[in-house]
Amino acid sequence: MTVLADRVPAGYFERIVYGRTAALVLLLCAALAGAAWAQTYPAKPVRFIVGFGAGGGNDMIARTLSRKLTESMGQQVIVDNRPGGAGIVAAVMVAKAPPDGYTLFAGSISTLATNVSMHAKLPYDPVRDFAPVTVTTMSPYLCSANIGVPIATLKEFIALAKATPGKINYASAGSGSGNHLSQELFKFMAGIDIVHVPYKGAAEQVTALIAGEVQMSCIQVQVALPQVRGGRLRALAITSAQRLAVAPDVPTIAEAGVPGYEATSWQGVVVPAGTPRAIVNRLYSEIAKALQSPEVTERLAAEGSTPGGITPQEFAAHIKSEIAKWATIVKISGARAD
C-alpha cells in the first residue's frame, strides 16, 4: 500500500511550516508596528472633517471635542467644515484619506446610515470605507414653527396642514439627513402633506425658518432652543420618547398628537478603513474620556443631548442596524435625495 508520504512532493510539509511561520511573523510585526505607531501618535496636527456648515450640531460637538483632544493628545485637532450633499462631499474626502489617524470624520445619522437608502449610487460605503471609533452624542429634534404661522400647538399645526395640503413648507439640513427623514416619518404618521425644502445644514435651516422661507422644521435642540427662548421661533414638540429637562414644557410629538412617534439623531467619529487598530483604540479612549468630562456632559445636558462613548465594535453594530431601520422609513415615505 502506498503511504501518504510517497504521494507528497519533497519539501511540501517544510513549505507549509515555513509559510505559516512567516505569516505569524508578519502578523506579529504588524501588531508591534501598530503598537509602536500608537505610542508616537499623533506626531502632527489632526484634521476633524465636518460634513455640514459651521454652527450646526455636528460642528458644535466636533469643536468641543477638538479642544479636549488637543489638550489630551498634545497636538492640535483642527475642525474643517466641508458642507455639501448631506455630508457626502466630506464622507468621500475622508474615505479616500490615508488610513493613518490624521483624518477624523464627524459622522452622523445621515452620512453613516440614511444616505445608503436615499442615494442609488452613493460614492462611498459607510460599512466598508470607515473604521468606527465611537458615538459622540444622541440628540432628539425640536420641532418649531415660524412665529407668523397662526398656530400655538402641534395639533393646531396638523389641523392647518390638513386644511391646506401642499401649501406649508418644512426645512431640513439636507436631503437624506436625519431630520429630513424624521419629518417624513412625521408627515406619514400625522397624515399630512407638507413640502420639503432642503438646506446645507442646521444653521441655514434655522435661519430660513426664522425668516419665514419655510413654516415649520424639526431642528437639533442645541440649534433651535436658543431661538425659541429668544422669541424668534415657537416650540411645538420634541421628537424623543421623553420630554427634555432643558425644555420640560415642550411635549413629545407622541404626546402632542401623533401616538407612537419617536426619532433621535446621533453623531459619531469614524476614520478611514484600514486605520491601525491601535490608533482606533487610542482615539476611542481619548474621545470617551472627553465625553465624560464635566465640561462636555454639562454642555450636552444643557443642549438636550446625551453623551455617547460606546466601543468601536458596538458602534459598528449600531451603524448596521440604523442603515436597516431608515431604509424601511425611506421606503414607506418615498423620500428621495434631490
Side-chain angles (χ1 to χ4, degrees):
M1 181 175 67
T2 303
V3 297
L4 177 61
D6 294 334
R7 291 182 289 171
V8 175
Y12 177 77
F13 292 109
E14 289 83 353
R15 288 196 295 274
I16 289 179
V17 172
Y18 175 79
R20 289 177 177 172
T21 301
L24 288 172
V25 169
L26 287 173
L27 288 173
L28 179 59
C29 288
L32 291 173
W37 197 357
Q39 290 176 356
T40 60
Y41 170 84
K44 61 182 181 179
V46 176
R47 282 199 309 164
F48 202 165
I49 307 296
V50 177
F52 300 94
N58 282 69
D59 180 71
M60 288 180 179
I61 187 61
R63 291 184 186 279
T64 299
L65 286 177
S66 69
R67 289 192 293 272
K68 301 297 291 184
L69 295 177
T70 295
E71 294 171 4
S72 66
M73 297 176 68
Q75 287 287 344
Q76 189 173 10
V77 178
I78 305 166
V79 173
D80 185 357
N81 296 89
R82 298 298 180 106
I88 292 177
V89 171
V92 171
M93 176 186 298
V94 176
K96 294 180 178 180
D100 55 9
Y102 289 98
T103 304
L104 315 182
F105 182 40
S108 65
I109 186 174
S110 59
T111 51
L112 298 178
T114 63
N115 278 353
V116 174
S117 51
M118 289 292 295
H119 298 267
K121 295 182 179 180
L122 192 65
Y124 67 93
D125 185 318
V127 175
R128 181 196 65 212
D129 293 337
F130 301 116
V133 177
T134 192
V135 168
T136 53
T137 62
M138 304 289 288
S139 309
Y141 302 107
L142 175 56
C143 298
S144 305
N146 177 274
I147 58 175
V149 180
I151 52 92
T153 66
L154 187 70
K155 283 186 178 180
E156 290 178 0
F157 174 81
I158 292 172
L160 178 63
K162 288 183 175 180
T164 57
K167 301 297 184 181
I168 293 176
N169 298 330
Y170 79 89
S172 81
S175 295
S177 63
N179 62 21
H180 172 206
L181 293 186
S182 73
Q183 291 175 102
E184 285 296 317
L185 178 61
F186 167 63
K187 281 176 55 178
F188 173 76
M189 294 184 68
I192 58 177
D193 177 17
I194 54 179
V195 180
H196 175 222
V197 181
Y199 291 84
K200 291 184 178 180
E204 292 188 16
Q205 177 187 5
V206 75
T207 298
L209 183 58
I210 292 170
E213 294 177 14
V214 295
Q215 288 72 53
M216 191 277 285
S217 188
C218 297
I219 306 170
Q220 290 164 329
V221 175
Q222 60 267 44
V223 178
L225 190 56
Q227 307 303 327
V228 170
R229 289 172 172 166
R232 291 175 289 277
L233 292 177
R234 179 178 294 115
L236 299 178
I238 293 289
T239 65
S240 54
Q242 292 83 33
R243 295 193 185 198
L244 296 180
V246 293
D249 294 334
V250 180
T252 67
I253 286 182
E255 292 174 324
V258 188
Y261 179 93
E262 190 250 334
T264 303
S265 176
W266 51 266
Q267 293 81 39
V269 176
V270 297
V271 291
T275 299
R277 177 55 52 185
I279 299 291
V280 172
N281 290 340
R282 171 75 190 283
L283 287 167
Y284 164 65
S285 176
E286 297 290 352
I287 293 171
K289 181 171 63 176
L291 290 171
Q292 292 304 315
S293 68
E295 173 192 343
V296 176
T297 55
E298 290 171 9
R299 176 170 183 175
L300 291 180
E303 295 170 348
S305 299
T306 303
I310 61 177
T311 67
Q313 294 75 22
E314 290 169 333
F315 190 18
H318 178 71
I319 290 171
K320 291 178 181 178
S321 68
E322 285 286 277
I323 288 173
K325 170 186 173 180
W326 290 107
T328 301
I329 302 303
V330 169
K331 184 176 181 179
I332 291 173
S333 67
R336 288 291 182 269
D338 294 335

